[in-house]
Structures are given as structure tokens and as C-alpha cells.
Amino acid sequence: MAPPPVEAIDVGYMRVPGAANAFLIRGDDGHVLVECGPAATRGTLIDGLGAAGVALRDVRHLLLTHIHLDHAGASGHLAELGTHVWVHPFGAPHLAAPERLLASSRRVHGAAYDPFYGDLIAVRADQLHPVADLGWVQVAGHRVQALHTPGHARHHVVWLLDHQGERHAFLGDLAGILVPDSD
């Protein structure tokens, strides 16, 4: 059986290799990303996609596990290029009007905010798609299911990809984080 058409793209989060990835799912009619990283690392994401032979404009869909800026901060920037954003219903209003999320993030992260996160910009309503628990979406020729998994965040989703009879899970921060070569 062929492996799923998935590639990890290091987004350069906090300038630590391996600290955070976006996952490229190649498709028949464009491509899908699971996560996009912070707005401040858009350039690293674009470079990583380029190394994989994919232009940012060819990413048609973005699946977010949750709206924390290290996972979703560049989502509005992708949406400006036509990418559709799929997210938990509780997270969608924050992507449509991110002012409160940004103010809270600036308070929490202080001086680290600008270099590590950058500002999320709003996602237009016609590109923002809340997905119900156990809901299925068809993106770039793939069937993907949303499993609501509150805990790390009340708006956390695990995305399940069905590919050639196998199921693959994108966990976000459900099981914590492991940074290679760190404590």
C-alpha cells in the first residue's frame, strides 16, 4: 500500500528546528495544509512548500487543529490567497474577528509576541468553514473527518485522513509537544 501523500514542513517556530510543522497533503485539485504556523513564520512556510515543489497559491484548504497562533497564526494570510479554512465551530468566530485573540496573546507573550507570532488577520466568512464533531469534509480529493477533542483548548480538533483503507491522525497539541534534541 502506498504511503499517504503527506509531508511535514517545518515552519521555523521560535527558530527551533522541529518545534512545529505544517503538514502538506498533496491532492488532485490543489493541496491541503494541516496547520500553518504563526504569521511571523510565513516566509519559512513558503520556503518549505517551495522545496516540496508547491506554491502557496496551490494550497486550497487549511485544516486547523486549534486557533492558537503557533498553529493558526498565518491562516488569514493564506485565506487572502483563496485558501479555505476548516476549524472547530468555537474557533471560527476568533478567526473572523481576531482582535480579542490578538490582545490576549500579546498580554501573555509580551516581548516574544512580535518575533515569534505576528498578527493573525481576519479570515473572510466565505472562506471560513466550521466543522461539527464527526463531520466529514472533502478537500483536494481526500476525505477527512473532524473529531472534537477538547482539553488543550475547547476548540481542539483531531483531523482523521482516510487514505487507501488506512486512517491517519493529525493530533495538534492533543498529546503535548516533543521538540527534537530538547528537554
Side-chain angles (χ1 to χ4, degrees), residues 96-112:
E99 298 77 18
R100 288 180 55 207
L101 174 61
L102 293 175
S104 173
S105 294
R106 281 187 176 281
R107 268 192 317 276
V108 168
H109 297 290

Side-chain angles (χ1 to χ4, degrees), residues 76-88:
H77 298 275
L78 271 72
E80 280 188 326
L81 300 175
T83 302
H84 289 266
V85 179
W86 303 83
V87 65
H88 190 289

Side-chain angles (χ1 to χ4, degrees), residues 34 47 50 91 116 118 121 153 163-164 180-181:
V34 180
D47 291 346
F116 294 138
I121 59 175
H163 178 75
Q164 297 184 351
D181 301 318

Side-chain angles (χ1 to χ4, degrees), residues 36-98:
C36 58
T41 66
R42 277 190 330 267
T44 306
L45 174 64
I46 291 166
D47 291 346
L49 287 169
V54 172
L56 192 58
R57 70 181 174 280
D58 295 328
V59 175
R60 304 277 191 261
H61 302 276
L62 173 62
L63 307 174
L64 296 174
T65 60
H66 58 299
I67 63 165
H68 294 166
L69 297 183
D70 54 328
H71 292 257
S75 59
H77 298 275
L78 271 72
E80 280 188 326
L81 300 175
T83 302
H84 289 266
V85 179
W86 303 83
V87 65
H88 190 289
F90 293 153
H94 298 285
L95 296 180

Side-chain angles (χ1 to χ4, degrees), residues 25-40:
I25 304 171
R26 294 181 182 272
D28 298 331
D29 57 346
H31 307 294
V32 180
L33 279 181
V34 180
E35 317 291 37
C36 58

